[in-house]
Structure formats: structure tokens, C-alpha cells
Amino acid sequence: MTSSNTETIRHALTIAGSDSGGGAGIQADLKTFSALGSYGMSVLTALTAQNTQGVSAVHPVPPEFITAQCDAVFSDIRVDAVKMGMLANADIISAVAASLRKYQPKYIVLDTVMIAKGGHTLLDPAAVNALRDELLPLASIITPNLPEAAALLGVSEATTEEQMREQGRALLAAGAQAVLMKGGHLGGEQCPDWLITADAEVNFPAARIATRHTHGTGCTLSAALAALRPQRSDWVETVRDAKAWLLTAIANAERLDVGHGIGPVHHFHEWW
């Protein structure tokens, strides 16, 4: 799944929260970067007390320390792509946005994380406007699920693929350069994702996999986009390869025996 070009190993930076259970957040991101041939770096925005059964506590990192982490990485190491995940609150969003404007990485993937699978809030509801106003205009691509897209737009959640596409166009108009609308919440046997850009709308259908092991899928997909985009020619090729890899990671999740709740996907299914 990785590029055959051996000239340069790409570098990917995750700006996200930590998952103590290892299945989501920066842990999932760094596993994904490694699995897809990128050197991974991290800026922590929050600590979570978390396992496969849910999130029991969140400790946000002070914004000034997030800025210090960004300065440390960008001042010394080439960053080919950035993935943003859990940002917790408006002050953290502003700090991250300022660093991205300062260093201007080529590819920025924004995973609009708001609520964990177990239902715990990972973004202060008052910070949704900051996420939309400060980070959407900086994002090369955003990856909202249907509830997140609805929250960003202040509308009802999409219930059809056409409504998904309409909301994707609205998010494009709000400033994102590309939008990957994730359709897993539609239900049914298919999980349709739609890539919306100024030039095209491309459907990426996939059969739903019957498994409870889907912890960290959103984090993993957005991290895969960040890892692969510098190795691919465009977003269509990047999304195609990232989604194919993720589906295989989900299909192999049953091989893991992690926790008693919603288990993680198998990031290293190609090796063990």
C-alpha cells in the first residue's frame, strides 16, 4: 500500500489527544503512519483516561505548551503532512491554528473529532464555531462523520447520500479545500463515503463489516490520509488507498484480543 518511491521517507505529524488504551488518538495515528511508510511525530493536545469501554476523564494540555511542542517539531524536522484530531476547546484550536499559519505545512488533514464512540464529549460544544472558523480555511481536507458535519453547519444530520453531498458542498463553501463525508452513520449494508472537491464528487462505497472492533477508525482513516497524500498524486488516489487499507485493518481486528468493549482495528495486519 505504500509508495515504491524510495527517494525520501515522508514525515507526518499528528496533533491530537492521547488514548491510554492505545486504540485511538495519537497512538492510532503513530501506528498508522508507521504502517503506511511515514515517520511519525506528535503534538499532544489532551490526555484521556480511556479504554475500549469508554473515556472516564480528560485533561487538556495548556495551549502555550501545545505551541511549544509545535515549535519544537517544525523548527527542526521537515513536516510533509499534518493530521489534527481531538482539540478539546477553543483556546487549543486557536493555538494550533496559529502554529499552522506560522509554519504552513503543505497538507493538513482535519478530523473533526467531537464525541467518542462511547458518547463522551471530546470537544467543548462552545468550540465548534472556532473549529469551523479557524481551522476549516486551513484544511486541505476534512473528514467529518454525519453528526459532526451537521454540528459544523448547524443543520439536521443527513439521512441520505444526496443530503451528505449537499452538506459536503456546504463545508467546501465554508472554506475547506476538500471534504470527505463519512457515511457510516447512514446504516444499511453499505458504508458510502463521498469526496467533495471543487472539481468533482467521487463515491467510495464499501460493504459494512460485521464487527464490534471499530475503536479509532476515524482517527486511523484521517492519519492514513496524512501518511499517504505525500506519496500519492491526488486526493482521489489517497482516499482510495487509505480506505482500502482501513477496511483490511477492520476485517483483521478480530485477531486482536484487546479489552472488553469496542476493540481497536489491527493497524499492523500486514506483519502480524
Side-chain angles (χ1 to χ4, degrees):
M1 190 64 66
T2 58
S3 172
S4 60
N5 185 348
T6 58
E7 293 180 5
T8 304
I9 293 175
R10 305 299 184 179
H11 299 170
L13 169 65
T14 171
I15 303 177
S18 170
D19 173 7
S20 51
I26 62 160
Q27 286 83 354
D29 295 343
L30 292 173
K31 292 172 187 176
T32 301
F33 294 162
S34 294
L36 294 175
S38 289
Y39 175 79
M41 303 159 290
S42 62
V43 168
L44 271 68
T45 60
L47 306 178
T48 69
Q50 182 175 177
N51 56 29
T52 64
Q53 297 180 333
V55 179
S56 57
V58 173
H59 180 69
V61 173
E64 59 272 18
F65 191 72
I66 293 171
T67 299
Q69 292 177 79
C70 287
D71 289 340
V73 173
F74 279 105
S75 66
D76 180 53
I77 305 171
R78 187 188 77 251
V79 178
D80 297 307
V82 171
K83 170 261 166 80
M84 290 179 287
M86 177 185 177
L87 298 175
N89 59 49
D91 289 340
I92 289 175
I93 289 170
S94 294
V96 170
S99 290
L100 294 177
R101 287 192 294 267
K102 178 179 180 179
Y103 294 107
Q104 300 184 0
K106 185 173 183 179
Y107 300 114
I108 299 174
V109 179
L110 173 59
D111 183 15
T112 51
V113 175
M114 296 182 187
I115 298 175
K117 273 192 172 61
H120 195 286
T121 298
L122 299 179
L123 177 70
D124 182 349
V128 173
N129 288 344
L131 189 71
R132 182 185 62 241
D133 297 341
E134 295 199 56
L135 289 180
L136 252 64
L138 300 177
S140 306
I141 190 169
I142 67 172
T143 62
N145 60 30
L146 300 189
E148 291 164 352
L152 287 168
L153 294 169
V155 299
S156 298
E157 185 176 328
T159 58
T160 67
E161 287 192 57
E162 181 51 40
Q163 290 176 357
M164 282 178 60
R165 295 167 68 184
E166 290 174 359
Q167 292 187 12
R169 295 176 203 127
L171 289 169
L172 202 69
Q177 297 174 37
V179 181
L180 180 61
M181 292 288 293
K182 299 182 295 189
H185 284 76
L186 282 183
E189 296 181 357
Q190 294 290 314
C191 290
D193 294 344
W194 279 91
L195 175 64
I196 311 294
T197 69
D199 301 320
E201 297 182 7
V202 183
N203 186 22
F204 295 88
R208 191 179 299 274
I209 299 172
T211 179
R212 65 181 175 86
H213 301 295
T214 57
H215 182 54
T217 50
C219 303
T220 297
L221 176 60
S222 56
L225 296 176
L228 290 175
R229 181 60 186 92
Q231 305 179 55
R232 300 294 187 264
S233 61
D234 56 27
W235 282 117
V236 173
E237 186 180 5
T238 300
V239 172
R240 181 200 67 200
D241 289 352
K243 184 164 182 178
W245 176 81
L246 174 60
L247 289 171
T248 307
I250 295 172
N252 282 273
E254 300 286 348
R255 293 167 50 198
L256 299 175
D257 183 19
V258 179
H260 298 88
I262 303 172
V265 306
H266 193 346
H267 297 88
F268 296 112
H269 56 271
E270 295 181 20
W271 292 275
W272 48 270

